[in-house]
């Protein structure tokens, strides 16, 4: 495969949760979560993304979570800081701060709620990419943001040196193929259950949610495919598929993930409003899914 701009971020990235206890960020548990990922051989840790409940963190908490992760990692893997915003000025401030703290890259979600035109998307990402020296991963997730960054806009962005990756979460293999066909960007799957199909058309990794609890299997899937062991990758895909679909399909992320981590003794399960716990019927389904996978 031809080397792409962000190929050094190939493999498993994990969008880690932000643990809470009694309404406050539990930094001690956060450090444990980071060590868990490093021990599993995760290539890159992604703090304060969607899974990290970034919408409910204060600015100070947002910055401190990133700083804590960078300090604990201490160069043992990469850190891609979630520093996007629907305000370009805020995205610039967060990203420049993360770069000063030592982040290796930045995950930049499409500006949400205000629904920019395609030119607005382009100018937003261009401003961020030109303000920092770390690589930018464009995060395309219209189900969260309300609007898709079109492939033609991504192709324009690919011409900027600082834009090196796309976290592709539109759910469309055609979109994935179009980006790979028209650009030299590295594509990372933004949907755990689509990781293998996306690898098959040229993606190079995943920014995983399920990797919070099964990083070893997610990493093995990506590495098996990359090494040419297609049958092993297919086996792992079908092993992981029920976990990814049945767990993550119960409620909005990270509600079911945090419930699973609580059941596995790895998190308090606490969230901040407006995120609410799983209802009892859904938790019973979650228990069945975890038992079927062999985790409980």
């Amino acid at each position: 495969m031809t080397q792409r701009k962000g190929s050094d971020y190939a493999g498993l990235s994990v969008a880690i949760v932000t643990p809470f206890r009694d309404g406050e960020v539990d930094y001690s548990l956060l450090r444990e979560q980071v060590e868990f990922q490093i021990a599993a051989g995760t290539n890159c840790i992604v703090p304060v993304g969607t899974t990290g409940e970034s919408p409910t963190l204060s600015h100070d908490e947002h910055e401190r979570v990133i700083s804590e992760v960078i300090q604990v990692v201490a160069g043992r893997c990469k850190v891609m800081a979630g520093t996007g915003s629907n305000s370009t000025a805020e995205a610039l401030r967060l990203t420049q701060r993360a770069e000063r703290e030592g982040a290796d890259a930045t995950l930049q979600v499409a500006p949400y709620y205000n629904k920019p035109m395609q030119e607005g998307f382009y100018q937003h990402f261009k401003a961020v990419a030109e303000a920092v020296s770390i690589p930018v991963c464009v995060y395309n997730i219209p189900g969260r943001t309300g609007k898709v960054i079109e492939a033609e806009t991504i192709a324009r962005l690919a011409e900027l040196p600082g834009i090196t990756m796309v976290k592709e979460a539109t759910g469309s293999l055609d979109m994935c193929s179009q980006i790979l066909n028209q650009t030299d960007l590295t594509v990372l799957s933004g949907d755990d259950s689509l990781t293998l199909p996306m690898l098959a058309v040229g993606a190079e990794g995943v920014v995983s949610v399920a990797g919070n609890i099964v990083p070893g299997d997610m990493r093995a899937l990506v590495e098996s495919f990359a090494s040419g062991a297609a049958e092993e990758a297919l086996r792992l895909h079908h092993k992981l598929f029920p976990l990814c679909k049945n767990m993550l399909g119960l409620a909005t992320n990270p509600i079911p993930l945090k419930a699973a981590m609580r059941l596995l003794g790895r998190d308090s399960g606490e969230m901040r409003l407006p995120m609410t716990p799983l209802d009892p019927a859904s938790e019973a389904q979650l228990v069945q899914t975890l038992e079927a996978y062999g985790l409980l």
Side-chain angles (χ1 to χ4, degrees), residues 6 88 153-154 158 163 170 225:
T88 303
T153 303
I154 293 173
I163 307 284
T170 64
F225 187 87

Side-chain angles (χ1 to χ4, degrees), residues 239-256:
K239 178 185 179 184
L240 284 156
F241 185 79
L243 178 71
C244 296
K245 293 300 289 187
N246 296 344
M247 176 178 72
L248 300 178
L250 287 171
T252 305
N253 181 44
I255 292 171

Side-chain angles (χ1 to χ4, degrees), residues 3-281:
Q3 184 81 2
R4 290 180 171 270
K5 286 171 75 175
S7 289
D8 49 343
Y9 285 82
L12 173 65
S13 298
V14 175
I16 61 170
V17 300
T18 301
F20 298 114
R21 192 171 300 279
D22 299 326
E24 302 295 327
V25 177
D26 186 339
Y27 291 102
S28 176
L29 187 52
L30 175 67
R31 290 187 284 270
E32 289 181 23
Q33 305 285 20
V34 172
E35 291 291 355
F36 176 83
Q37 293 299 330
I38 291 170
T42 298
N43 304 101
C44 179
I45 294 174
V46 185
V48 206
T50 305
T51 306
E53 294 179 79
S54 56
T56 66
L57 297 183
S58 70
H59 291 165
D60 287 344
E61 288 171 333
H62 193 132
E63 293 170 353
R64 183 177 171 190
V65 167
I66 291 170
S67 297
E68 291 275 349
V69 170
I70 292 168
Q71 290 168 26
V72 175
V73 165
R76 292 178 289 169
C77 70
K78 290 183 170 64
V79 177
M80 186 190 301
T83 55
S85 174
N86 60 341
S87 159
T88 303
E90 177 67 9
L92 286 169
R93 187 188 69 77
L94 286 168
T95 306
Q96 288 170 329
R97 167 68 182 264
E99 181 180 30
R100 289 195 302 271
E101 291 290 320
D104 299 291
T106 169
L107 180 68
Q108 288 287 323
V109 71
Y112 41 87
Y113 185 78
N114 42 15
K115 298 176 72 172
M117 304 304 289
Q118 293 302 310
E119 181 64 20
F121 281 133
Y122 176 79
Q123 294 295 340
H124 172 85
F125 290 111
K126 180 175 183 286
V128 174
E130 291 181 345
V132 295
S133 61
I134 57 176
V136 175
C137 181
V138 173
Y139 184 10
N140 200 8
I141 182 165
R144 291 273 187 173
T145 64
K147 196 166 185 179
V148 68
I149 311 167
E150 294 173 1
E152 292 76 11
T153 303
I154 293 173
R156 287 181 69 197
L157 289 168
E159 297 173 4
L160 301 170
I163 307 284
T164 70
M165 296 169 277
V166 176
K167 180 182 176 185
E168 171 47 37
T170 64
S172 168
L173 282 176
D174 281 356
M175 172 68 92
C176 179
S177 296
Q178 196 170 352
I179 293 167
L180 290 162
N181 188 268
Q182 295 181 0
T183 78
D184 62 350
L185 299 176
T186 291
V187 172
L188 304 175
S189 171
D191 293 294
D192 281 309
S193 61
L194 286 178
T195 300
L196 182 58
M198 289 179 68
L199 292 173
V201 299
E204 294 178 65
V206 59
V207 181
S208 177
V209 176
N212 278 275
I213 56 175
V214 286
D217 283 351
M218 290 301 306
R219 178 186 170 200
L221 187 158
V222 176
E223 291 182 353
S224 294
F225 187 87
S227 67
E231 288 189 9
E232 176 63 7
L234 185 60
R235 183 191 71 80
L236 287 162
H237 167 76
H238 284 294
K239 178 185 179 184
L240 284 156
F241 185 79
L243 178 71
C244 296
K245 293 300 289 187
N246 296 344
M247 176 178 72
L248 300 178
L250 287 171
T252 305
N253 181 44
I255 292 171
L257 172 65
K258 276 202 159 179
M261 292 178 74
R262 173 178 54 78
L263 290 166
L264 297 172
R266 295 206 37 245
D267 191 88
S268 68
E270 186 177 324
M271 290 163 291
R272 284 179 174 169
L273 286 170
M275 306 306 276
T276 51
L278 278 182
D279 60 82

